[in-house]
Amino acid sequence: MAKLKKILSNALVLVSALISFNSYAEVKLEVGEGINLLAVNGEEVESDSLFASKTSALLPKGTNQILVNYTAEIKPGDDSELEVTKPSVILFTTDATELYLNAPKIKSVRDVDNFEKSLNWNLIDQNGNAISFKAALLIKEGFQLSRDYEDELEEFNMSNANAALPKTRIISPVEVKHARKAQHSQVKENKNMAMDMLIYWYNQADEKTRRSFKELISK
């Protein structure tokens, strides 16, 4: 019976390790109030609704590029109005499990101008450590009824801008989804392998050990 318990324990450890690996293969990014997440690794992000932008995303570990802007409430006079900054491209590399992006307080049009010059975003990990990044504005000249951020980012990434993606290819969110499915299949396969091992040892056991095994799994 002790032998069977050891086999069961080893099988559970194996499965748990695989599941843990799957859980830590991604980075959760959360953006602060007023920040609009527009694109992740060259792909536009769909908003939660017409009036609410996406506030989080799952990223692959390593090098990532996000596109964001910031909506600030300013008071030039007695009334308040909303001012939206130009989109910022932010490039960073990390192996953290959680990231948080915030912007400084903006209270005036001058603050907006200064922010767009400095791009002093605040990017930290789950421990409060600052994450190094490169940032640049995504500029589109002329009249802008709407924008195709995916096309603009593709052109931007072919430039020599400091926040352009490296020439080496990174994993897109779509590929992360496929990788997650593949890892899930691998976990399932290993679970099946563990079951096959248990069945094998059950078949090799004598009648007394088999009864002990049945009693163990029925608890």
Side-chain angles (χ1 to χ4, degrees):
M1 185 169 178
K3 187 175 183 179
L4 288 172
K5 283 186 176 180
K6 185 176 181 181
I7 294 171
L8 275 173
S9 177
N10 290 339
L12 289 173
V13 169
L14 172 63
V15 172
S16 298
L18 288 167
I19 292 174
S20 296
F21 174 79
N22 184 41
S23 300
Y24 288 99
E26 295 174 339
V27 181
K28 183 178 181 181
L29 169 70
E30 293 187 5
V31 299
E33 184 179 358
I35 299 176
N36 309 299
L37 185 59
L38 305 174
V40 173
N41 291 332
E43 295 189 8
E44 287 193 46
V45 174
E46 294 185 6
S47 299
D48 293 329
S49 71
L50 182 62
F51 303 102
S53 63
K54 198 80 171 177
T55 58
S56 65
L58 289 177
L59 313 174
K61 286 192 175 183
T63 301
N64 287 280
Q65 182 193 66
I66 59 174
L67 180 68
V68 293
N69 64 12
Y70 181 55
T71 303
E73 183 180 5
I74 62 175
K75 294 183 178 181
D78 294 333
D79 299 324
S80 298
E81 61 183 51
L82 297 180
E83 188 77 20
V84 182
T85 67
K86 296 181 179 68
S88 295
V89 182
I90 302 176
L91 181 73
F92 57 89
T93 300
T94 182
D95 59 358
T97 56
E98 296 177 11
L99 292 177
Y100 303 92
L101 179 69
N102 291 290
K105 293 292 183 181
I106 293 179
K107 298 180 180 180
S108 66
V109 174
R110 177 176 293 182
D111 289 342
V112 173
D113 293 337
N114 290 336
F115 176 69
E116 290 180 341
K117 291 176 182 177
S118 63
L119 297 179
N120 56 330
W121 297 94
N122 180 33
L123 183 63
I124 60 174
D125 65 13
Q126 69 275 9
N127 298 316
N129 299 317
I131 302 298
S132 176
F133 64 87
K134 298 177 181 178
L137 293 178
L138 187 65
I139 303 295
K140 181 180 180 181
E141 304 295 342
F143 178 70
Q144 301 175 19
L145 182 61
S146 64
R147 299 183 65 169
D148 188 332
Y149 289 126
E150 292 187 1
D151 280 352
E152 291 182 44
L153 284 169
E154 184 176 356
E155 184 176 348
F156 177 88
N157 287 327
M158 289 189 293
S159 72
N160 293 321
N162 68 330
L165 280 173
K167 303 306 178 185
T168 53
R169 187 169 172 273
I170 72 165
I171 302 174
S172 71
V174 173
E175 290 172 309
V176 170
K177 184 177 180 180
H178 291 326
R180 194 181 307 129
K181 287 183 178 179
Q183 288 174 345
H184 178 73
S185 298
Q186 184 64 40
V187 170
K188 184 177 180 181
E189 181 180 333
N190 280 278
K191 284 182 178 179
N192 292 336
M193 183 185 300
M195 181 58 67
D196 290 341
M197 289 172 59
L198 293 175
I199 292 173
Y200 170 80
W201 286 112
Y202 176 83
N203 290 335
Q204 297 298 313
D206 56 29
E207 194 60 35
K208 182 180 178 181
T209 306
R210 289 184 181 185
R211 285 196 299 270
S212 298
F213 177 81
K214 289 178 182 178
E215 292 174 2
L216 181 63
I217 63 175
S218 64
K219 293 180 180 179

